[in-house]
């Protein structure tokens, strides 16, 4: 199928080329979501406004072109992919309006769920839905899938906390249920549609058997099919319409804004892990807990506990549990500590009659609770991490009536055994009878597909028919369960859903074959391959959790997409196909524009660092070993050359003027494919080599100061109000705190190796790192003295896999918080300060400490939202400046009321200063300015 020429022509007039994608690399990258299906779209459009959505839907309607909407693409059932036109949310869907001191919040669909909760946190509120993907999924997807989660249950999902909706129907009509003028216009122009909805509601409520079935189904967690409860819960057709859109998975319309009634986020929490001797006892305890003041109860069967029992931090007893053991992870929350203690006593009294095999008592310690919840959160990735390469991880979620949970668990386990899913694990939100089961599945042979088909047929019969449960509790119907909707709901309800679909989308252009499909085999088609690509990334389950922290997402590829494309390239090569064109495009999109900072690994459920793959690919293309070797051996000369280059740039600025130099250097950098760095007004002046005075041996404690090579070369920019070098400022601060500052010998020859590693020259990088560590060992008198490194990326490079435990390495944040707080008196300034937490600071675990130090120094601290990595990435800000610009595109607006910014990486500060309009400096400048020696 090709798209109609008229549609393409009109779309080209409407959307600029930079936001239209039809090339093989881009369509493949966007053809992947978190599910185990793949469809390659003919056209991908990044939409930036509601007006664009309306215009595109009108074009699609006229040409009968199917359209699918995509938010974050973390959905698991195949609802966010298309072989036609895929509309992906761009940057401009992040609006919010907090009302009534947080009691309500109005959100656009591009807001990440966790960000909404961050905005609400100062009010002690949060949105009701709490899906496991909340750090990555977006509001549009949360609403469209009626997502829930561990604490949400059914009472706090979107359907039950919906206060208003702004939507666009298939014909391009817009309705805002909170705007009287919009409602009045809609009532006039769509009286027939509203009348039809009102009639369907009356008929459904009058059909007592069907109405009772609908109420029963939604007593349970249920996202199978369309939200028929809207027809029995409401008689006002506008209410019916807005609630039908919830959980419709983009099949009935586009959601452009939603207003939530928020819920309390109680500050006092406690968690316990209680292990029962068998499933029956465990599930009987759940029935009792449903009447108790618990916020969450997660069930973990023995298989799931076994999958994580060897992970660091697991309680030792987990390994020794009996074969039939079954655990509950329980959390209670309260507005006050006394109330929480009352609740805990009540819960334990209720559980007293049940035999317990092992338990971890309730704890209010956040660290201990995080360790307990890690048991639950690590189960899914644990299965993914051990799966055979080429197979996929499937996570299904079903609901049994909670009173039948025990027998339901037993019967599911029997199905695992029957179909030989020996690695399958089972866990879930026990209070709702909602169970997730995770298993690995290959789709590489007809026999494997047939095994999956037989298993799903049995699951559908067991859950939907025998127990009257739901086949999709919270993950949405998608393609995965579309063939089973009628089996679960019955013919009357199923046909009612089709009536609603045809009423709201008469030409069937919205996300066809999702939720409702005429194809009984749709769940067995377009199954996604996961071919081997590289050991570094073969465990990737393509969930997309990595994407929010990637600086190149939206410019080129995200980590998930990098892996998708590399997998495809490797599979094509094995098939003997010519991949030259694809690899050429991938070189820029996948390799050149990757910051390779590894933040993706922190979000990845299986710990994949896509940056490591990129570094490996760079090393395979690094063909200047002799030049790299010469630079490593003559590093002092290289630094002198770098200083000379900065001198020359400074001279060119004085000769040509800053605007002309910036323009000319941008053109030259582009023409040289980044080999000539781009000059900006934030470019540093050259720093002089370290001027060492004769060492003074006195009683002061010593600290070895390792000045990073960038600190030794790059001074302040010419327009920076701070003209003291980082070297002088750091030495002054350390001496003010009572330290004797010493330097390693021959410091200008030393380097941690990061510049070589980032270019793929691993051998030279490792040699420089070893040379520096030896110099530090000598300078610190065998590890007797602490070592202060003034740049966090270099600290991270040295600290990773450090075998020599004698070396006591510190980045600026850790050294100041551990060694200087008791030696200095802080007088916070009134001026606002912006804080940039570098990638390396995050990896070092010092993010919150940096923020807290900033708050000691200023009464007004700003942490820009949505910036996780600045994209400067060593020298990428010079050679690939578009990456830095893209990563920092929201920065200027975020820091407009700040006088300065702080960070812990000199190169990052160049890009931050350039794109923010304020000067960014090392944390040291701020600390030095607001402190005095503490009087003893």
């Amino acid at each position: 199928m090709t798209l109609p020429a008229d549609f393409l022509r009109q779309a080209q007039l409407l959307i600029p080329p930079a936001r239209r994608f039809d090339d093989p690399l881009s369509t493949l990258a966007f053809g992947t979501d978190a599910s185990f299906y793949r469809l390659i779209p003919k056209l991908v459009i990044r939409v930036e406004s509601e007006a664009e959505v309306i215009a595109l839907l009108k074009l699609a309607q006229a040409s009968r072109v199917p359209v699918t909407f995509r938010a974050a693409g973390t959905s698991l059932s195949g609802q966010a992919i298309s072989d036609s036109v895929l509309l992906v949310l761009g940057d401009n869907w992040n609006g919010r309006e907090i009302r009534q001191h947080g009691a309500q919040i109005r959100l656009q669909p591009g807001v990440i769920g966790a960000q909404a909760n961050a905005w609400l946190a100062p009010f002690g509120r949060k949105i009701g839905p709490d899906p496991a993907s909340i750090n990555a999924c977006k509001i549009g997807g949360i609403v469209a899938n009626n997502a829930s989660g561990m604490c949400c249950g059914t009472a706090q999902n979107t359907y039950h906390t919906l206060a208003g909706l702004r939507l666009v129907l298939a014909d391009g009509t817009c309705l805002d249920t909170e705007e009287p003028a919009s409602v009045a216009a809609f009532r006039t122009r769509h009286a027939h549609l509203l009348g039809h909805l009102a009639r369907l509601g009356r008929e459904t409520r009058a059909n007592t058997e069907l109405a009772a079935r609908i109420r029963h189904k939604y007593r349970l967690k249920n996202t199978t099919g369309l939200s028929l409860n809207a027809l029995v819960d409401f008689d006002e057709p506008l209410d019916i319409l807005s609630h039908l859109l919830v959980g419709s998975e983009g099949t009935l319309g586009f959601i452009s804004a939603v207003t939530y009634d928020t819920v309390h986020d109680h500050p006092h929490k406690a968690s316990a892990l209680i292990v029962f001797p068998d499933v029956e006892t465990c599930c009987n305890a759940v029935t009792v807990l449903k009447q108790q003041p618990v916020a969450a109860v997660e069930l973990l069967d023995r298989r799931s506990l076994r999958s994580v029992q060897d992970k660091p931090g697991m309680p030792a007893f987990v390994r020794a549990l009996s074969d039939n053991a079954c655990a509950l992870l329980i959390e209670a929350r309260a507005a006050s500590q006394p109330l929480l203690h009352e609740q805990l006593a009540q819960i334990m009294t209720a559980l007293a009659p049940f035999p317990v095999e092992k338990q971890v008592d309730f704890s209010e310690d956040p660290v201990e609770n995080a360790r307990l919840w890690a048991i639950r959160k690590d189960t899914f990735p644990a299965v993914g991490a051990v799966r055979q390469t080429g197979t996929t991880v499937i996570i299904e979620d079903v609901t049994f009536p909670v009173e039948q949970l025990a027998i339901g668990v037993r019967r599911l386990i029997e199905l695992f055994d029957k179909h030989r899913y020996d690695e399958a694990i089972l866990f879930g939100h026990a209070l709702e009878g909602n169970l997730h089961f995770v298993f690995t599945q290959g789709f590489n042979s007809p026999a494997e597909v047939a095994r999956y088909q037989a298993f799903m047929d049995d699951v559908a019969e067991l859950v939907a028919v025998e127990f009257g449960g739901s086949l999709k509790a919270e993950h949405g119907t998608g393609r995965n369960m579309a063939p089973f909707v009628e089996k679960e709901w019955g013919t009357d309800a199923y046909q009612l859903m089709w009536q609603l679909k045809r009423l709201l989308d008469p030409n069937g252009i919205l996300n066809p074959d999702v939720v409702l499909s005429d194809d009984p085999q749709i769940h067995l088609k377009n199954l996604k391959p996961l071919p081997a690509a590289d050991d570094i990334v073969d465990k990737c389950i393509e969930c997309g959790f990595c994407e929010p922290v990637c600086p190149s997402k939206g410019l080129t590829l995200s980590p998930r997409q990098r892996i998708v494309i590399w997998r495809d390239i490797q599979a094509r090569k094995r098939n003997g196909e010519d991949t030259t064109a694809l690899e050429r495009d991938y070189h820029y999109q996948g390799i050149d524009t990757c910051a390779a900072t590894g933040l993706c690994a922190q979000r990845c459920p299986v710990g994949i660092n896509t940056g490591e793959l990129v570094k490996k690919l760079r090393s395979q293309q690094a063909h200047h070993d002799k030049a790299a070797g010469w630079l490593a051996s003559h590093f002092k000369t290289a630094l002198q050359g770098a200083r000379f280059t900065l001198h020359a740039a400074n001279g060119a600025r004085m000769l040509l003027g800053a605007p002309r130099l910036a323009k000319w250097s941008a053109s030259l950098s582009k023409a040289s494919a980044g080999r000539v760095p781009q000059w900006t007004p934030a470019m540093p002046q050259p720093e002089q080599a370290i001027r060492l005075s004769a060492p003074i041996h006195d009683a002061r404690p010593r600290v070895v100061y390792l000045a990073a090579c960038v600190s030794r070369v790059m001074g302040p920019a010419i327009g920076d109000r701070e003209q003291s070098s980082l070297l002088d400022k750091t030495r002054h601060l350390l001496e003010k705190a009572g330290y004797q500052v010493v330097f390693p010998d021959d410091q200008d020859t030393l380097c941690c190796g990061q510049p070589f590693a980032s270019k793929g020259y691993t051998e030279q990088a490792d040699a420089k790192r070893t040379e520096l560590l030896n110099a530090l060992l000598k300078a610190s008198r065998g590890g007797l003295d602490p070592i202060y490194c003034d740049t966090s990326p270099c600290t991270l490079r040295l600290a990773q896999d450090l075998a020599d435990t004698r070396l006591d390495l510190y980045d600026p944040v850790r050294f100041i918080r551990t060694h200087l707080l008791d030696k200095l008196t802080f007088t916070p300034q009134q001026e606002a300060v912006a804080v940039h937490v570098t990638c390396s600071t995050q990896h070092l675990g010092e993010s919150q400490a940096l923020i807290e130090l900033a708050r000691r120094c200023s009464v007004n601290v700003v942490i820009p939202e949505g910036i996780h990595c600045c994209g400067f990435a060593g020298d990428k800000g010079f050679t690939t400046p578009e990456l830095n610009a893209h990563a920092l595109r929201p920065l200027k607006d975020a820091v407009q009321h700040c006088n300065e910014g702080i960070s812990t990486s000199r190169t990052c500060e160049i890009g931050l200063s350039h794109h923010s309009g304020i000067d960014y400096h090392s944390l040291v400048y701020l600390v030095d300015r607001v402190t005095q020696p503490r009087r003893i």
Side-chain angles (χ1 to χ4, degrees), residues 694-721:
I696 301 172
H697 299 289
D698 55 31
R700 292 178 299 169
R702 286 166 42 114
V703 59
V704 177
Y705 177 12
L706 170 61
C709 52
V710 290
S711 307
R712 306 197 302 266
V713 170
M714 298 179 178
I718 189 67
D720 197 327
R721 71 175 184 179

Side-chain angles (χ1 to χ4, degrees), residues 25-41 44 70 72-75 78 80-82 86 88 528-530 540-544 547 558 560-561 563-565 567-568:
L25 185 146
S26 297
T27 53
L28 173 60
F30 283 106
T32 295
D33 67 358
S35 74
F36 51 97
Y37 299 97
R38 170 171 292 156
L39 290 172
I40 307 300
V44 179
R70 164 80 71 87
T74 57
S75 50
I81 53 177
S82 170
L86 188 67
V88 180
K528 180 169 65 180
L530 289 175
C540 174
I541 53 181
E542 299 182 1
C543 63
E547 293 189 334
S558 69
R560 166 167 63 176
Q561 293 171 331
I563 294 171
V564 166
I565 303 300
R567 279 174 163 163
D568 188 66

Side-chain angles (χ1 to χ4, degrees), residues 406-719:
I407 186 62
V409 170
R410 284 293 184 202
R411 293 290 299 281
L412 273 178
I413 292 173
E414 289 173 10
L415 287 185
F416 298 156
D417 294 337
K418 174 184 175 181
H419 294 280
R420 306 183 315 283
Y421 289 106
D422 301 326
E423 80 295 342
I425 65 170
L426 195 150
F427 56 88
H429 315 319
L431 289 178
E432 307 298 330
N434 175 199
L435 298 175
H436 299 313
F437 51 96
V438 181
F439 58 99
T440 62
Q441 173 71 53
F443 292 121
N444 300 317
S445 71
E448 279 294 289
V449 174
R451 178 169 76 125
Y452 172 72
Q453 180 180 9
F455 176 60
M456 292 310 297
D457 286 345
D458 280 356
V459 169
E461 186 69 23
L462 172 70
V463 176
V465 179
E466 288 191 44
F467 284 87
S470 56
L471 290 168
K472 282 294 183 182
E474 54 183 4
H475 293 169
T477 311
R479 288 171 162 72
N480 182 209
M481 284 298 170
F484 301 100
V485 174
E486 185 172 11
K487 177 183 280 288
E488 176 174 329
W489 276 97
T491 301
D492 287 353
Y494 184 62
Q495 290 305 318
L496 179 56
M497 291 180 192
W498 271 113
Q499 286 186 64
L500 292 165
K501 170 68 172 174
R502 290 170 182 138
L503 175 64
L504 294 170
D505 182 21
N507 294 317
I509 68 166
L510 297 182
N511 218 2
D513 282 326
V514 167
V515 181
L516 302 174
S517 177
D518 290 323
D519 187 347
Q521 302 292 305
I522 193 67
H523 65 309
L524 304 174
K525 296 178 178 178
N526 304 301
L527 299 169
K528 180 169 65 180
L530 289 175
D534 190 283
D535 288 344
I536 296 173
V537 298
D538 280 343
K539 298 304 180 187
C540 174
I541 53 181
E542 299 182 1
C543 63
F545 284 15
C546 55
E547 293 189 334
V549 296
C550 177
S552 65
K553 180 185 182 292
L555 172 69
T556 52
L557 299 176
S558 69
R560 166 167 63 176
Q561 293 171 331
R562 284 185 170 87
I563 294 171
V564 166
I565 303 300
W566 192 244
R567 279 174 163 163
D568 188 66
I569 289 172
Q570 299 311 302
R572 289 175 184 269
K573 281 185 172 181
R574 285 192 291 270
N575 290 335
E577 298 179 38
D578 183 1
T579 60
T580 303
L582 194 57
E583 289 191 75
R584 181 186 61 243
D585 292 343
Y586 188 74
H587 195 277
Y588 175 75
Q589 301 228 33
I591 300 175
D592 286 352
T593 52
C594 178
T597 56
L599 287 188
C600 47
Q602 294 188 353
R603 295 292 186 94
C604 176
V606 291
I608 292 170
N609 183 342
T610 311
E612 291 300 318
L613 171 67
V614 170
K615 289 179 182 177
K616 181 177 180 179
L617 298 180
R618 286 175 182 165
S619 70
Q620 293 171 358
Q621 299 166 6
H623 303 307
H624 301 287
D625 288 282
K626 288 186 178 179
W630 186 91
L631 286 171
S633 300
H634 300 81
F635 199 71
K636 183 174 183 178
T637 303
L639 292 189
Q640 290 171 342
R643 293 187 184 102
F644 175 79
T645 301
L646 291 176
H647 269 298
N650 203 31
R653 176 194 59 79
M654 291 187 287
L655 180 65
L656 299 172
R660 185 178 299 173
L661 178 60
K663 182 179 179 180
W664 284 10
S665 76
S667 299
L668 186 59
S669 180
K670 186 175 181 179
S672 68
R675 286 187 291 274
V676 176
Q678 180 172 326
W679 186 91
T680 73
M683 184 71 78
Q685 299 176 90
E687 180 57 68
Q688 300 300 317
I690 295 177
R691 299 166 295 282
L692 296 178
S693 55
I696 301 172
H697 299 289
D698 55 31
R700 292 178 299 169
R702 286 166 42 114
V703 59
V704 177
Y705 177 12
L706 170 61
C709 52
V710 290
S711 307
R712 306 197 302 266
V713 170
M714 298 179 178
I718 189 67

